[in-house]
Amino acid sequence: MTIDITPKDVLVAVDVQYDFLPGGSLAVAGGDEIVPLLNRLAPRFANVVLTQDWHPKDHISFASQHAGKAPFQTIELPYGTQVLWPDHCVWQTRGAEISADLDIPHAQLIIRKGYNRAIDSYSGFQEADRETLTGLAGYLNERDVDRLYIAGLATDFCVAWTAIDAAAAGFDVAVIEDASRAIDADGSLARAWADMEEAGVARIRSADILG
Ligand code: VGL
Ligand code: ZN
């Protein structure tokens, strides 16, 4: 049965940026394969929001900022364990740009996240300190949206954290699995799906919407 998309639904396309696409500094395998799918899904939605990872060049999540550390190692920060990444999505660089192949002219809002040097932000709703809000929940509530369909990059980080925070904020949430791709470092993808399931996030496929 095909899901009926209504004006109370929003599609959230997470971090479809050059640094997460093949050739980028934190390329997600197959990341480019989701772009045509997102372009087919988006016209079904009256409401589309994009998120954009947006870091200063000395961001605390970059391994390059920590002597002796390599990407994918972790450090402890005041807000918890932080995975260290290759430099990526540095503001005003091409890697931070949303792919020009993403053809969603009616996207209404771009939420930038991760711009505070000392706090990472996988989620489109709040930073990793779990205190600093982006305003996205307020925006969606004011627009009378109650269900989120989330897809993009990467399933196990920014998609999952956005989905879990959306559920905690009281929205109905579904993640479109085949319109997302994962980093899958150290079992992170299986963990993310378990966490999303526990949060009540539905796991769907694009065909559930497209028919
Ligand atoms: C992301 C790692 C670091 C993501 C962003 O978009 O999933 N992952 N920054
Ligand atoms: Zn990032």
Side-chain angles (χ1 to χ4, degrees):
M1 209 187 67
T2 311
I3 297 169
D4 186 29
I5 300 299
T6 80
K8 285 176 167 285
D9 298 329
V10 65
L11 175 68
V12 181
V14 173
D15 297 6
V16 186
Q17 294 167 259
Y18 288 115
D19 270 342
F20 297 125
L21 294 168
S25 66
L26 182 43
V28 180
D32 53 330
E33 294 164 10
I34 69 170
V35 174
L37 209 43
L38 290 168
N39 290 343
R40 287 176 58 210
L41 286 162
R44 305 291 182 104
F45 289 82
N47 305 306
V48 183
V49 169
L50 311 179
T51 69
Q52 185 172 28
D53 214 36
W54 191 252
H55 299 308
K57 63 181 184 324
D58 58 351
H59 194 251
I60 199 157
S61 76
F62 296 169
S64 61
Q65 297 300 304
H66 305 275
K69 290 287 183 181
F72 305 103
Q73 294 180 335
T74 61
I75 54 166
E76 294 306 319
L77 292 177
Y79 56 77
T81 303
Q82 172 71 51
V83 180
L84 297 175
W85 304 107
D87 292 14
H88 66 277
C89 299
V90 173
W91 54 34
Q92 293 176 313
T93 65
R94 175 178 160 84
E97 284 173 24
I98 293 170
S99 170
D101 295 327
L102 198 66
D103 186 19
I104 314 183
H106 66 299
Q108 297 150 3
L109 176 71
I110 300 174
I111 287 279
R112 286 177 169 168
K113 57 190 181 58
Y115 46 76
N116 283 329
R117 194 199 71 83
I119 316 174
D120 206 1
S121 188
Y122 299 142
S123 165
F125 287 89
Q126 62 177 355
E127 301 190 358
D129 63 359
R130 303 188 172 282
E131 276 173 25
T132 314
L133 301 179
T134 65
L136 180 55
Y139 172 85
L140 295 173
N141 282 322
E142 285 198 353
R143 299 290 316 284
D144 206 21
V145 164
D146 53 28
R147 186 166 171 93
L148 279 71
Y149 293 85
I150 306 178
L153 305 171
T155 316
D156 42 348
F157 289 93
C158 291
V159 170
W161 286 52
T162 299
I164 289 165
D165 284 348
F171 297 100
D172 269 346
V173 189
V175 165
I176 312 170
E177 183 171 13
D178 59 324
S180 305
R181 289 292 184 278
I183 294 171
D184 202 10
D186 231 350
S188 55
L189 182 58
R191 257 196 325 274
W193 279 120
D195 292 346
M196 286 192 276
E197 181 167 291
E198 193 180 312
V201 173
R203 181 174 182 169
I204 67 166
R205 301 191 62 80
S206 56
D208 297 334
I209 295 171
L210 295 172

